Amino acid sequence: MNLDELNDKQKEAVLYNEGPLLIIAGAGAGKTKTLTTKIAFLIEEKNVSPRNILAITFTNKAAKEMKDRLFRTIGSTAKELQVSTFHSFGLKLLRENYETLGYDKNFVIMDSDDSLTVVKKIIKDMGLDPKIYNPRGIRNKISGCKNEMTSPEEYERYAVSDYEKVVQEVYSKYNTKLERNNSVDFDDLLLLPIELFKKNPDILNKYQDLYQYILIDEYQDTNEAQYILTKMLSVKNRKITCVGDDSQSIYSFRGANYKNILNFEKDYKDAKTILLEQNYRSTSNILDAANQVIKNNKMRKDKNLWTSRGTGEKIKYYRAYNERDEAQYVIRKIKELINRNIEYKDIAVLYRTNAQSRVLEEEMLKENLPYRVIGSFYFYSRKEIKDLIAYLRLIHNSRDNVSLLRVINTPKRGIGLKTIENLTKKADLENISIYEAISSGKELEFKNLIERLKEVSQDLTLTELIDKVLDASGMKQELESEKTLEAEVRLENLEEFKSITKSFEEREGLISLEDFLLEISLISDVEEYKDDPNRISLMTVHSVKGLEFDHVFVVGMEEGIFPHMNSLMENSEVEEERRLCYVAITRAKDDLHLVNARRRTLFGKEQINPVSRFIGEINKDLIETNVKDELPQKEEKLNTGEMFREENVDYQVGDYVYHETFGTGRVTEVTNTLVTVAFKHPHGIKKLMKNHKKLSKV
């Protein structure tokens, strides 16, 4: 096998197969290439059966990319490989061992909206005020407990406050309802395999023997459950390779624990560590800036990214007057790039919070610049799509109470809340599903509808079944009769869903409703990144991980914005913000702009924030800037009076004044702090602060 395309460190990582291996792969260092080459090497040179290799990634997109690369390298042999996300792998284990865990074959995977619905119902049944006991907050707490391997019984031990005691009770009832509905949630896809292995050592031993070589990508993003599952599977053969970059660990809010990668050498005493430091993406100026920022973190693996691409352009730092000026600077520079024949799709604007996109969008609309906001709205979250999927789930598994409650009166068919409440009580009392509890009335008509759809589903393709459901349920008719633009859009979305089923049928050659539902259950919440449209990408820094652009603008580089205000109290949280900044910087290939504003109106309030400490951590020799004085240092405190005079000017009604933006005007009213001035058309009458430096007497 030819390894000439790899650098020395990449080759070393591929060739080492004696025991535990940690690959610290910096941004743009070719980790995916290294990982796939290692898998191919094991199969072609070491004669390892592909069935004995388990490769885990964090997204479906990454898993597909790895599988595609392996197909190109080793051909059809790649079909036998288990390359998947943690959750997909967990699902595979559940499907192979559902009976041992006490589930029926047709168990259902509930998504986050479905589980929230269950939590809401429990809170209602307990007579609790949802304003005090927020269902989404409690659902997130339950998810956090599951990711940390904390059962309701364990949580009860340290539940002290009234709120925590309520969470514990809801958590316990929630698990009971899931079991009764023959359902699992996303977190269970990790939790239940661990439970399976702990209670059944023989089953664990079987999978340990099967997966002799384990490779984990993005190891810095693993949570407690993923960490334990990995250890359980690898402890026997110890042929485990973990790839990641602690400097890119930015998902602690999802339960990720960057210490897992930092502690790898403690967990595996004989582990070998290899650093991939050669970057193939960015210029050295960009990499030097990233290195200088991240070295300020205490909790990190020491590494230094380098490149053979050359020095490149200096980083541009622009200090805007306000957020409007910030956006206009970005647009000016984008227009300059376009005039140099740069394509829109090669440009990205990154921000710390979603709210920051508003002004950028407004200014881009004014200038007719094509853009897209990545990660803000998702196809599978749209109501009509959720409704359609609920019908399909109910056809597949009539015990799915969540899906039933969603569509029993969708479209409206005269089944009221009282009827549903009585059915639910009956089901709970008799320990049966709501579907089984139905015996009369309009709800029986609904049950008969589902029975008819079940019957015909056996002889229809998935796409034909969708058409049948839309017609028989009345969903299509209801939307068509509305004759509104919104209804038209919803109908288009339903039509688009049929293109998904057609693609599934053509790709897999399957018409199985079960397999289709399992597949779409695993689709990520993050909007799929589409390369087709030639548009500027606007997105949060969290959304950009794994992507790269020729030209990158990072806006809002201010204390309280980036790093975020909520992080400033804890050093560990500031370090995560710094890792986030490192990710932002290393997305840029050729050109990086760091931008901030002296004043900013955000969340309806005007803020005057110091310059981000991350700007001060970059050597000024790497930067060109509009700031005339020396670049800010880490501990800089912004002079909030830089746009204001220390003393109030004594204005009188009738005085002539000059304003840098509005020109010459005449004072019409004076108060203690404000002056009203009549300016010439088109500016008109303005109320201004008396001591602002832009305003002066003529």
Side-chain angles (χ1 to χ4, degrees):
M1 184 175 184
N2 190 357
L3 303 180
D4 291 344
E5 290 184 4
L6 304 180
N7 63 41
D8 290 345
K9 288 294 180 181
Q10 289 173 329
K11 282 180 188 174
E12 187 181 357
V14 168
L15 295 172
Y16 184 81
N17 292 293
E18 304 307 311
L21 173 64
L22 177 63
I23 304 173
I24 302 292
K31 68 177 178 67
T32 305
K33 184 177 184 179
T34 305
L35 206 53
T36 52
T37 305
K38 188 176 180 72
I39 293 170
F41 182 83
L42 286 170
I43 294 169
E44 293 195 334
E45 301 297 327
K46 294 292 184 178
N47 296 317
V48 177
S49 169
R51 287 188 293 272
N52 297 136
I53 298 172
L54 171 64
I56 299 287
T57 67
F58 265 79
T59 66
N60 291 309
K61 182 183 174 186
K64 185 179 182 304
E65 183 186 343
M66 186 179 288
K67 205 77 178 274
D68 288 345
R69 284 198 185 201
L70 285 163
F71 264 107
R72 290 195 296 270
T73 307
I74 60 175
S76 60
T77 307
K79 285 183 180 178
E80 300 178 59
L81 280 165
Q82 178 68 37
V83 181
S84 62
T85 64
F86 270 106
H87 289 93
S88 294
F89 178 62
L91 174 60
K92 171 183 161 64
L93 294 177
L94 293 191
R95 293 182 75 176
E96 292 173 356
N97 300 278
Y98 62 89
E99 287 180 310
T100 307
L101 287 162
Y103 290 89
D104 292 345
K105 183 177 184 295
N106 293 334
F107 67 86
V108 171
I109 305 166
M110 294 203 305
D111 64 15
S112 53
D113 284 351
D114 292 333
S115 23
L116 182 61
T117 301
V118 174
V119 171
K120 283 179 178 176
K121 183 166 187 321
I122 293 169
I123 289 170
K124 184 183 178 184
D125 291 346
M126 290 172 66
L128 299 171
D129 186 349
K131 293 179 182 176
I132 300 172
Y133 299 100
N134 182 276
R136 193 174 297 277
I138 291 178
R139 171 65 188 98
N140 290 344
K141 189 71 178 174
I142 292 171
S143 179
C145 285
K146 288 192 175 188
N147 285 326
E148 292 297 316
M149 304 293 297
T150 305
S151 67
E153 295 73 30
E154 289 168 323
Y155 187 74
E156 188 176 19
R157 293 173 196 165
Y158 55 84
V160 177
S161 67
D162 289 342
Y163 180 82
E164 288 172 335
K165 289 174 181 176
V166 167
V167 170
Q168 191 278 331
E169 190 174 351
V170 174
Y171 185 10
S172 183
K173 289 178 183 291
Y174 173 82
N175 274 1
T176 301
K177 279 191 176 290
L178 259 61
E179 290 171 12
R180 190 175 293 171
N181 289 354
N182 193 38
S183 302
V184 298
D185 62 20
F186 256 44
D187 300 314
D188 289 329
L189 296 181
L190 302 176
L191 201 62
L192 289 173
I194 293 171
E195 183 184 314
L196 174 75
F197 289 160
K198 282 182 176 178
K199 293 179 178 177
N200 302 275
D202 55 325
I203 295 177
L204 171 59
N205 190 61
K206 181 183 77 174
Y207 286 105
Q208 286 173 337
D209 288 341
L210 176 62
Y211 299 119
Q212 297 170 15
Y213 292 83
I214 299 172
L215 302 97
I216 313 290
D217 195 11
E218 303 287 6
Y219 191 62
Q220 77 280 349
D221 292 333
T222 51
N223 60 28
E224 185 68 13
Q226 291 160 342
Y227 169 76
I228 290 172
L229 186 61
T230 300
K231 281 204 74 176
M232 292 178 87
L233 286 167
S234 64
V235 71
K236 187 174 183 179
N237 292 302
R238 300 176 63 76
K239 298 291 180 68
I240 181 170
T241 297
C242 290
V243 186
D245 183 4
D246 55 290
S247 298
Q248 295 187 71
S249 180
I250 59 174
Y251 297 125
S252 64
F253 64 95
R254 294 182 187 169
N257 187 353
Y258 72 97
K259 291 181 180 177
N260 290 343
I261 194 167
L262 294 179
N263 292 334
F264 186 89
E265 290 146 315
K266 292 180 183 175
D267 293 333
Y268 302 92
K269 301 293 185 187
D270 56 338
K272 183 179 180 66
T273 300
I274 296 173
L275 302 181
L276 302 186
E277 297 172 294
Q278 183 174 358
N279 175 284
Y280 295 91
R281 175 186 299 155
S282 309
T283 61
S284 64
N285 272 343
I286 293 169
L287 294 181
D288 288 348
N291 289 330
Q292 288 164 15
V293 169
I294 202 64
K295 75 178 182 183
N296 290 277
N297 272 5
K298 301 284 189 289
M299 299 295 291
R300 59 183 287 267
K301 292 276 186 185
D302 195 28
K303 66 178 177 300
N304 196 63
L305 294 182
W306 63 275
T307 183
S308 58
R309 284 197 62 204
T311 305
E313 297 180 24
K314 283 192 174 185
I315 294 161
K316 286 85 171 176
Y317 167 55
Y318 183 78
R319 185 129 169 85
Y321 171 62
N322 58 19
E323 72 275 9
R324 192 71 57 181
D325 182 26
E326 177 184 65
Q328 288 167 353
Y329 166 81
V330 171
I331 285 166
R332 276 198 310 276
K333 293 300 175 181
I334 287 175
K335 283 183 172 180
E336 289 175 14
L337 292 171
I338 300 306
N339 289 335
R340 287 165 42 196
N341 295 319
I342 302 297
E343 293 194 80
Y344 291 116
K345 65 180 176 63
D346 295 325
I347 303 168
V349 186
L350 312 180
Y351 35 81
R352 178 62 180 83
T353 62
N354 274 304
Q356 291 169 256
S357 77
R358 179 182 63 84
V359 178
L360 288 160
E361 289 188 70
E362 287 174 0
E363 293 299 318
M364 287 188 180
L365 285 168
K366 283 181 191 174
E367 298 295 327
N368 288 318
L369 290 175
Y371 72 90
R372 55 181 172 173
V373 181
I374 305 288
S376 63
F377 198 74
Y378 322 121
F379 181 82
Y380 288 92
S381 296
R382 295 168 186 167
K383 180 185 180 304
E384 61 276 12
I385 300 301
K386 296 283 290 181
D387 291 343
L388 178 55
I389 291 172
Y391 272 106
L392 296 177
R393 284 181 165 180
L394 203 55
I395 292 166
H396 174 61
N397 175 20
S398 57
R399 290 171 58 192
D400 182 358
N401 286 348
V402 174
S403 293
L404 182 141
L405 291 172
R406 182 178 184 93
V407 296
I408 192 169
N409 203 41
T410 303
K412 302 286 186 198
R413 47 176 64 92
I415 302 173
L417 291 175
K418 190 67 180 174
T419 300
I420 294 170
E421 190 177 333
N422 290 336
L423 281 172
T424 305
K425 283 180 181 176
K426 182 183 177 183
D428 287 344
L429 201 65
E430 298 179 16
N431 200 22
I432 56 177
S433 70
I434 297 173
Y435 191 86
E436 291 168 309
I438 294 173
S439 59
S440 62
K442 291 180 178 176
E443 57 269 31
L444 183 59
E445 292 176 18
F446 171 75
K447 185 176 182 177
N448 291 335
L449 164 68
I450 301 300
E451 287 296 317
R452 289 196 301 274
L453 289 169
K454 276 186 183 182
E455 189 175 341
V456 299
S457 70
Q458 305 301 314
D459 302 312
L460 298 175
T461 67
L462 288 171
T463 307
E464 290 169 345
L465 178 60
I466 301 299
D467 278 326
K468 194 73 177 176
V469 171
L470 292 175
D471 285 328
S473 67
M475 287 177 67
K476 188 176 180 180
Q477 184 183 357
E478 182 186 53
L479 290 171
E480 286 176 340
S481 63
E482 276 188 31
K483 300 186 186 303
T484 63
L485 181 61
E486 185 183 356
E488 285 179 24
V489 171
R490 289 186 173 184
L491 280 167
E492 288 172 0
N493 290 335
L494 291 169
E495 286 298 314
E496 180 59 21
F497 192 88
K498 288 194 290 186
S499 64
I500 299 168
T501 60
K502 283 178 181 175
S503 173
F504 177 80
E505 289 166 347
E506 289 168 4
R507 186 181 73 252
E508 303 293 342
L510 295 172
I511 59 169
S512 165
L513 180 57
E514 177 185 3
D515 287 326
F516 178 69
L517 289 173
L518 289 172
E519 175 160 306
I520 62 172
S521 294
L522 295 169
I523 293 174
S524 167
D525 281 342
V526 178
E527 173 77 317
E528 191 177 30
Y529 182 75
K530 297 171 183 165
D531 296 315
D532 196 27
N534 186 25
R535 290 180 282 167
I536 302 157
S537 295
L538 307 185
M539 67 186 91
T540 65
V541 184
H542 281 102
S543 299
V544 80
K545 189 168 179 288
L547 304 178
E548 62 183 30
F549 297 88
D550 292 347
H551 307 271
V552 171
F553 296 79
V554 187
V555 299
M557 295 293 291
E558 304 141 39
E559 292 288 304
I561 305 290
F562 197 8
H564 195 275
M565 186 182 301
N566 295 343
S567 72
L568 299 180
M569 300 301 290
E570 297 286 339
N571 284 337
S572 62
E573 292 178 0
V574 171
E575 290 209 350
E576 174 135 345
E577 291 289 301
R578 189 173 280 110
R579 293 194 294 270
L580 198 57
C581 183
Y582 173 88
V583 167
I585 292 172
T586 55
R587 299 311 95 191
K589 295 165 73 174
D590 304 317
D591 183 29
L592 175 65
H593 297 252
L594 304 177
V595 195
N596 57 30
R598 299 175 190 273
R599 312 172 72 84
R600 180 180 303 276
T601 303
L602 193 61
F603 308 118
K605 296 179 181 177
E606 187 173 69
Q607 302 171 186
I608 301 176
N609 299 317
V611 175
S612 170
R613 69 190 68 192
F614 305 143
I615 300 289
E617 291 169 356
I618 300 172
N619 190 318
K620 63 184 179 183
D621 294 338
L622 298 176
I623 296 177
E624 65 180 49
T625 177
N626 70 318
V627 180
K628 292 179 182 176
D629 53 357
E630 199 169 306
L631 284 171
Q633 299 303 306
K634 298 181 204 178
E635 302 303 319
E636 181 215 46
K637 300 295 181 186
L638 180 66
N639 177 12
T640 57
E642 55 191 322
M643 293 302 294
F644 297 87
R645 298 183 181 89
E646 291 183 6
E647 76 286 347
N648 281 334
V649 180
D650 184 24
Y651 292 104
Q652 303 292 327
V653 173
D655 285 345
Y656 284 94
V657 296
Y658 177 76
H659 190 276
E660 291 179 17
T661 303
F662 308 126
T664 302
R666 194 171 186 184
V667 177
T668 61
E669 187 181 351
V670 181
T671 68
N672 287 338
T673 57
L674 298 175
V675 58
T676 304
V677 182
F679 293 100
K680 292 180 181 178
H681 180 79
H683 303 298
I685 296 172
K686 306 285 184 185
K687 282 188 182 290
L688 304 165
M689 299 185 78
K690 287 168 71 174
N691 62 337
H692 199 281
K693 285 188 177 180
K694 279 195 171 186
L695 186 69
S696 57
K697 277 189 176 182
V698 174

